[in-house]
Amino acid sequence: MQLRYSFRLYPNAVQQAALARAFGCARVVFNDAVRAREDARKAKQPFPTAGQLSRELITEAKRTAGRAWLGEVCAVVLQQSLRDAETAYRNFFASLGGIRKGPRLGAPRFKSRKDHRQSIRFTANARWKITDAGRLDLPKIGAVKVKWSRTLPVTPSSVTVIKDAAGRFFASFVIDTDPASDAARMPDSHRTIGIDLGLTHFAVLSDGTKIDSPRFLRRAEKKLRKAQKELSRKQKGSKNREKARAKVARAHAKIADARREFHHQLSTKLISENQGIAVEDLSVAGLARTRLAKSVHDAGWSSFVTMLKYKAERYGRTLVTIGRFEPTSQTCSTCGTKDGPKPLGVREWTCSACGTVHDRDTNAAINVKTAAGLAASACGAPVRPGAIPAQREETGSHGFPTGSRAA
């Protein structure tokens, strides 16, 4: 299983200039590849192969006066930019043919130097390394200071240097993990839990536990409003406007980081304490078109469920997702009677058949657990289906550290 470990970088002024050159060269090569493909399509000619593009856009381009500056950066960065263009076209055609699942993808577009996110990738061929002093030594850039928050479990296969909209630099390492050894680190547990996600409470568990929603965006709205007003008053193209834009970006980054950390801590806690977890497949895209859109985006349910998926696969846990049309809020968890739909304002209700008084969210969480097949059987043993394959996503939690956090 492949995961990503991200760490903050602190390049000096010279290294920032070298990274800016690398970002620009990678962007130019990507745009040249897209332009070559588009010219071939308009001329109704076969698309140039990856080898032809590499020879024409990198090897031969370095010998010309107009592209001689491509030789100032590592050649691996330029090759990886070509691979990114190939991957973009492959995903586009797979989406057109219905092979790739999910929303329809558009054709690759030209990258701009004004894009708020820039990135370059170094593979093992680039001969990058981590020095004894704990710095990241990149070719033609130098040894960059890294803030190590945890240890890397194995030697990474590649590293991606990213500059985000707030002007921060990150190093994202790709590592191969062993699910068997990761599962051995987890404490034994036979507990199962159902989760009902909401807005008043971020999550309500089937055992009655209620986890409040932090509402990071709502709490920062006053500060964001002030920063956005200052940005709107600045003249376009001025240096003051760029400073104001960076201030807004830093405010949003702070909110996103806090939300991500909350999701990681909660998902790791649930995975650690429970062998089986059941959640509901919510239509986040549909709810985001209602009057609750801001609160739905602020909660970040999709990000949280994604973390549960890959952590369940990594640590040998079971995650079951039930259908979104399951009447969990309408069914009595005691007798199973379906009591009909109820307005959102109704937080407690009494079953008309057995007379049990239910908390709406706790009852829904119990029904989620029952619908997933994780409820206790007649003899008391938990019913656990087989492991559900999970997507591989980038990790950002501190996980379960086994030693020193030094690099």
Side-chain angles (χ1 to χ4, degrees):
M1 178 178 183
Q2 285 189 331
L3 292 175
R4 286 187 176 271
Y5 279 57
S6 293
F7 302 92
R8 182 77 179 271
L9 294 180
Y10 294 92
N12 56 34
V14 176
Q15 293 168 348
Q16 288 186 27
L19 286 171
R21 284 195 299 269
F23 292 145
C25 292
R27 181 177 63 249
V28 167
V29 171
F30 183 92
N31 290 343
D32 288 346
V34 173
R35 187 177 295 106
R37 288 289 186 95
E38 287 299 307
D39 292 343
R41 181 186 64 83
K42 293 178 181 179
K44 298 183 179 180
Q45 298 293 329
F47 276 179
T49 63
Q52 293 174 343
L53 291 176
S54 177
R55 182 176 62 255
E56 296 174 3
L57 303 182
I58 299 178
T59 306
E60 296 179 357
K62 289 180 181 179
R63 301 169 184 166
T64 64
R67 291 285 192 268
W69 35 265
L70 290 177
E72 298 178 3
V73 302
C74 178
V76 173
V77 170
L78 307 181
Q79 293 289 347
Q80 293 302 309
S81 186
L82 282 182
R83 292 193 62 181
D84 290 341
E86 287 286 328
T87 302
Y89 272 103
R90 192 181 305 115
N91 292 338
F92 169 59
F93 291 127
S95 181
L96 284 181
I99 301 174
R100 180 184 175 90
K101 297 181 180 179
R104 182 68 61 87
L105 296 181
R109 65 170 182 85
F110 293 110
K111 292 184 178 181
S112 171
R113 62 183 179 86
K114 296 182 180 180
D115 289 343
H116 297 318
R117 186 184 186 276
Q118 306 282 347
S119 66
I120 52 176
R121 185 167 61 253
F122 297 88
T123 59
N125 295 336
R127 298 180 181 178
W128 60 272
K129 63 179 180 179
I130 299 175
T131 65
D132 296 336
R135 291 180 174 249
L136 179 62
D137 192 1
L138 300 173
K140 296 190 177 182
I141 293 175
V144 185
K145 182 181 177 181
V146 185
K147 181 66 174 179
W148 300 100
S149 57
R150 51 183 169 166
T151 57
L152 290 172
V154 295
T155 302
S157 58
S158 69
V159 58
T160 302
V161 179
I162 303 169
K163 181 182 179 182
D164 66 1
R168 304 177 300 175
F169 292 87
F170 294 91
S172 179
F173 297 92
V174 177
I175 64 170
D176 294 314
T177 62
D178 183 13
S181 61
D182 289 336
R185 296 164 53 194
M186 295 293 292
D188 294 333
S189 176
H190 297 286
R191 291 184 54 191
T192 57
I193 204 78
I195 304 176
D196 178 66
L197 299 175
L199 297 178
T200 304
H201 295 90
F202 177 79
V204 177
L205 309 184
S206 55
D207 60 2
T209 304
K210 294 186 177 182
I211 301 168
D212 291 333
S213 180
R215 301 182 180 180
F216 297 104
L217 179 62
R218 294 289 188 181
R219 290 190 300 177
E221 275 187 325
K222 184 176 181 180
K223 182 178 179 180
L224 279 173
R225 188 182 300 113
K226 181 179 178 181
Q228 193 65 48
K229 284 183 178 180
E230 292 177 358
L231 174 62
S232 65
R233 296 189 182 107
K234 299 298 184 291
Q235 183 178 358
K236 291 186 178 181
S238 65
K239 292 184 178 180
N240 284 336
R241 183 177 178 86
E242 178 58 27
K243 293 178 182 178
R245 185 207 63 79
K247 185 177 180 180
V248 173
R250 286 193 298 268
H252 278 289
K254 185 176 180 180
I255 297 170
D257 290 345
R259 182 188 297 115
R260 190 181 304 110
E261 182 68 14
F262 168 73
H263 288 167
H264 273 298
Q265 290 181 355
L266 179 58
S267 59
T268 300
K269 182 176 184 294
L270 293 175
I271 289 293
S272 176
E273 296 176 351
N274 301 279
Q275 175 62 38
I277 299 176
V279 294
E280 189 176 4
D281 179 24
L282 297 174
S283 177
V284 178
L287 291 171
R289 292 193 293 266
T290 66
R291 60 185 178 87
L292 301 174
K294 183 179 289 188
S295 297
V296 170
H297 287 304
D298 191 14
W301 296 325
S302 295
S303 175
F304 174 71
V305 173
T306 298
M307 292 179 186
L308 285 177
K309 286 182 179 180
Y310 84 77
K311 290 181 182 181
E313 180 185 11
R314 181 182 182 185
Y315 297 111
R317 303 306 202 193
T318 299
L319 179 70
V320 182
T321 304
I322 69 169
R324 65 188 61 172
F325 299 108
E326 191 74 24
T328 56
S329 297
Q330 305 177 23
T331 306
C332 174
S333 59
T334 303
C335 64
T337 302
K338 186 176 179 180
D339 212 5
K342 302 166 186 62
L344 290 176
V346 177
R347 309 316 301 172
E348 288 187 358
W349 57 281
T350 304
C351 178
S352 58
C354 64
T356 305
V357 179
H358 292 292
D359 177 274
R360 181 191 183 105
D361 298 329
T362 304
N363 177 74
I366 297 174
N367 288 330
V368 168
K369 178 180 176 180
T370 303
L374 298 180
S377 62
C379 59
V383 179
R384 297 201 302 263
I388 305 299
Q391 295 180 352
R392 299 173 180 175
E393 295 291 342
E394 179 169 351
T395 180
S397 71
H398 296 287
F400 304 91
T402 57
S404 172
R405 291 188 181 273

